[in-house]
Amino acid sequence: SVKTDSFRYNKWYDLQNGFQVIAEELYDQQKDPHETVNVVALPEYAKVKKEMEKLLNNENRLIERYGRWMDI
């Protein structure tokens, strides 16, 4: 999960099945602060989703490198 001032992005994996992605969530926290509407599949959020995926991948690389979760 990664969060910016405006969005939260979650990606869920099946760890027993080769890290297959089983779900994704993207919330526009400016419009939906209670995270009730998952906008991940909406075309108008495709660019945001791509940017959030990059942030998550960068965070995951840091975790792999340093062996623990860290607040970055």
Side-chain angles (χ1 to χ4, degrees):
S1 179
V2 288
K3 184 180 182 309
T4 65
D5 290 339
S6 300
F7 297 96
R8 177 185 298 277
Y9 177 69
N10 303 309
K11 195 177 234 183
W12 303 93
Y13 299 93
D14 180 350
L15 301 180
Q16 297 177 347
N17 207 6
F19 291 94
Q20 179 181 358
V21 176
I22 56 174
E24 292 178 284
E25 299 170 317
L26 177 63
Y27 297 103
D28 183 336
Q29 296 189 309
Q30 299 296 315
K31 293 180 180 177
D32 179 23
H34 299 293
E35 299 182 356
T36 60
V37 179
N38 182 2
V39 298
V40 76
L42 298 179
E44 60 265 37
Y45 287 94
K47 184 177 178 182
V48 172
K49 177 188 170 192
K50 190 170 191 155
E51 291 299 315
M52 297 298 282
E53 282 181 307
K54 286 180 189 177
L55 287 174
L56 182 61
N57 289 338
N58 288 340
E59 184 176 293
N60 287 341
R61 278 195 281 279
L62 286 173
I63 292 168
E64 289 172 6
R65 183 174 182 177
Y66 295 105
R68 62 183 171 83
W69 182 86
M70 49 193 301
D71 190 11
I72 57 174

